[in-house]
Amino acid sequence: MNAATKAYAAEFVGTFWLVLGGCGSAVLAAAFPEVGIGLHGVSLAFGLTVLTMAYAIGHISGCHLNPAVSIGLWAGGRFEAGKLLPYIVSQVLGAVAAGGVLYLIASGKAGFDVTAGFASNGFGEHSPGGYSMMAALVCEVVMTAMFLIVILGATDKRAPAGFAPIAIGLCLTLIHLISIPVTNTSVNPARSTGVAVFAGGWALDQLWLFWIAPIAGAVLGALIYRCIGCEKDCARA
């Protein structure tokens, strides 16, 4: 297996873990009787999946685990355009595989109803807090933009070495603490797709927003960081 194939496989495995860990905590543990982990636990679970995988596969693939991150890194001058498609395909396949495993586990309990949401992202009547489509759009764009700024800053060669996974994982935790009530938090088209294909119906109908908004936000965040993070005066560069 050559280096490129290893990187694609790592993105598959990493995104699998992100969706299984993050969405799995939401589906299986968030409201578990008496000892449910709630919003705080789900937020932490998503952050921990990224933190653990960053240390596990960061040196293999860069640990993007997210089409928006890959596109944002490209926009920020940190990733080759030629690798975008295979990275995104690997991420989506990993997310769908995790959604399948989660479905097999969750459906083992009497009364399970995948149409209830299955940790899918939504707006309007499918937003946990009843937020509008515009609110969801703004939230996903801004949250993903800030995520990219943190990723680019934490992995900058001038940043303290070895701490990037911690900063990135905690950033994703914070993003979930803010935005779960709005959209159930995506900031990741693969994560949204991985569960939406099993939930079907409205989850698939609204999936377009959770591709467009995170990608737009990622590009915005990358452009912002290229201005504030460049070593030379941007106006003269």
Side-chain angles (χ1 to χ4, degrees), residues 62-75:
C63 191
H64 299 185
L65 317 185
N66 182 338
V69 169
S70 295
I71 292 171
L73 290 173
W74 164 76

Side-chain angles (χ1 to χ4, degrees), residues 9 18 49 93 96 108 154 160 165 194 214:
L18 182 146
T49 61
L93 290 176
V96 173

Side-chain angles (χ1 to χ4, degrees), residues 205-232:
D205 291 341
Q206 296 189 354
L207 183 59
W208 63 269
L209 186 143
F210 302 103
W211 274 85
I212 292 173
I215 289 173
V219 172
L220 176 62
L223 295 177
I224 291 171
Y225 190 78
R226 291 192 77 155
C227 288
I228 66 174
C230 59
E231 296 185 66
K232 299 179 181 180

Side-chain angles (χ1 to χ4, degrees), residues 54-157:
Y55 281 116
I57 66 169
H59 55 287
I60 301 172
S61 68
C63 191
H64 299 185
L65 317 185
N66 182 338
V69 169
S70 295
I71 292 171
L73 290 173
W74 164 76
R78 301 273 192 90
F79 193 60
E80 301 171 30
K83 293 181 179 180
L84 276 177
L85 182 58
Y87 261 59
I88 291 171
V89 170
S90 298
Q91 293 155 1
V92 172
L93 290 176
V96 173
V101 170
L102 180 57
Y103 179 83
L104 288 174
I105 296 170
S107 61
K109 180 180 179 180
F112 169 70
D113 180 11
V114 71
T115 63
F118 200 53
S120 297
N121 302 113
F123 53 83
E125 64 178 311
H126 302 296
S127 158
Y131 288 84
S132 68
M133 181 183 74
M134 183 56 66
L137 180 68
V138 171
C139 184
E140 289 290 326
V141 168
V142 173
M143 293 300 150
T144 315
M146 295 308 301
F147 193 32
L148 261 291
I149 290 171
V150 171
I151 290 171
L152 289 166
T155 56
D156 194 299
K157 63 183 179 182

